[in-house]
Amino acid sequence: MSNSIYGVTPRRTPHTLKEHEGDRQFATTLARGMELLRCFSAEQPVLGNKDLAGLMQLPTATISRLTYTLTCMGYLASAGHYGKYQLGSAVLSLGHPLLSQFNSLRRQARPLMLDLADSTGGTVAIGIRDRLTVVYIEVVRAWSKRVYPIEVGSSLSLAGTAVGRALLMSCRQSEREALINQLQVKSPSEWSRHGIRLIENIQQFSRYGSCVAMGEIFADVQAVAVPLGAINRGEPAALNFSIQGRDIDEDWLRRDIGPQLQAIARQLS
């Protein structure tokens, strides 16, 4: 009898990592556990075995063993409902040593970012890449009542944001082309929605030295970003400015804010 869900025999390798299918060095069980943790988000902080089985395209029995093990290790915790889980404190313990590797850059950047945030009423942040998304490692904002708050650890679209586009410009050309190909193959909906504007930003980069996103994720949020190049560990990074509730004005972002971001980037290089 086939061990399957939805009538389809699942891969041993997580469907999000199918490029590793058949790789004998690839630890499939470990990968499944790590991918399970990635299913949780600010939008979905509580999930049950059935939810996780659907998201991961794995049998519920397999998910049950994974959630039990991760709970024993502190990476998951009971959410107070039978069979429901949330991330455990051990996940935070894993993230802190990574974030601390960027402390020197963050300390140097914070006062410069705060000056720009205070003078404009916007939010200034530094982002690095996590697969096909951008994750923030530093955030400074002037206005705490922003409807769409971003925090350290927030994850955003690589293709649809100014910071994601500038981050691509921090990469070597071969790496950038490989990432664009991955976006087309692995995130076709993202590519369909943002691909044209992404390519336009890449083509216009030599002219402006910055990338923009004009209400593409949230209608009343506009942003401009510049590459930071390789930071700690050779990690490509980008510096982003975003503002909410102001009339969309690409010329203002390009002419006034972009050069200020570039000046900060030069001080951090």
Side-chain angles (χ1 to χ4, degrees), residues 19-239:
E19 66 270 24
H20 298 288
E21 187 76 28
D23 183 348
R24 299 179 69 178
Q25 292 294 322
F26 191 78
T28 301
T29 301
L30 175 60
R32 286 176 170 179
M34 298 302 290
E35 286 300 279
L36 187 148
L37 294 175
R38 292 176 68 97
C39 290
F40 293 86
S41 66
E43 294 73 31
Q44 291 185 298
V46 176
L47 295 168
N49 286 340
K50 186 176 179 180
D51 305 317
L52 292 163
L55 289 168
M56 294 191 66
Q57 301 178 19
L58 289 172
T60 304
T62 300
I63 294 296
S64 180
R65 290 193 297 273
L66 291 171
T67 53
Y68 173 79
T69 303
L70 290 167
T71 300
C72 290
M73 297 176 69
Y75 294 107
L76 289 181
S78 171
H81 306 284
Y82 180 74
K84 297 286 186 179
Y85 301 93
Q86 58 192 0
L87 292 177
S89 56
V91 175
L92 190 59
S93 298
L94 272 183
H96 181 263
L98 170 62
L99 196 60
S100 67
Q101 295 181 38
F102 301 109
N103 278 350
S104 177
L105 172 70
R106 295 168 68 214
R107 282 194 294 267
Q108 184 183 359
R110 197 173 293 128
L112 304 174
M113 295 165 66
L114 184 59
D115 284 347
L116 179 56
D118 283 342
S119 67
T120 58
T123 298
V124 186
I126 298 174
I128 60 175
R129 183 173 65 86
D130 174 20
R131 296 191 191 175
L132 298 179
T133 63
V134 178
V135 62
Y136 285 121
I137 60 170
E138 184 61 272
V139 177
V140 174
R141 59 176 171 268
W143 186 43
S144 62
K145 296 183 179 179
R146 178 176 172 144
V147 177
Y148 313 113
I150 58 173
E151 308 286 351
V152 171
S154 294
S155 182
L156 296 173
S157 165
L158 182 66
T161 60
V163 66
R165 295 162 184 174
L167 199 154
L168 286 171
M169 298 309 300
S170 280
C171 299
R172 298 184 303 273
Q173 183 175 346
S174 59
E175 183 181 3
R176 180 165 61 248
E177 290 173 352
L179 287 169
I180 290 172
N181 182 62
Q182 287 184 46
L183 281 166
Q184 293 172 313
V185 173
K186 293 185 174 183
S187 299
S189 60
E190 278 277 289
W191 183 257
S192 175
R193 182 180 177 188
H194 303 299
I196 292 176
R197 287 290 288 153
L198 168 59
I199 296 301
E200 286 177 352
N201 271 267
I202 290 174
Q203 293 173 339
Q204 295 171 353
F205 182 79
S206 61
R207 176 181 177 186
Y208 296 109
S210 62
C211 298
V212 295
M214 314 304 296
E216 293 168 53
I217 303 295
F218 301 111
D220 63 339
V221 176
Q222 55 191 312
V224 59
V226 301
L228 281 179
I231 56 172
N232 306 57
R233 310 180 310 166
E235 190 100 43
L239 179 66

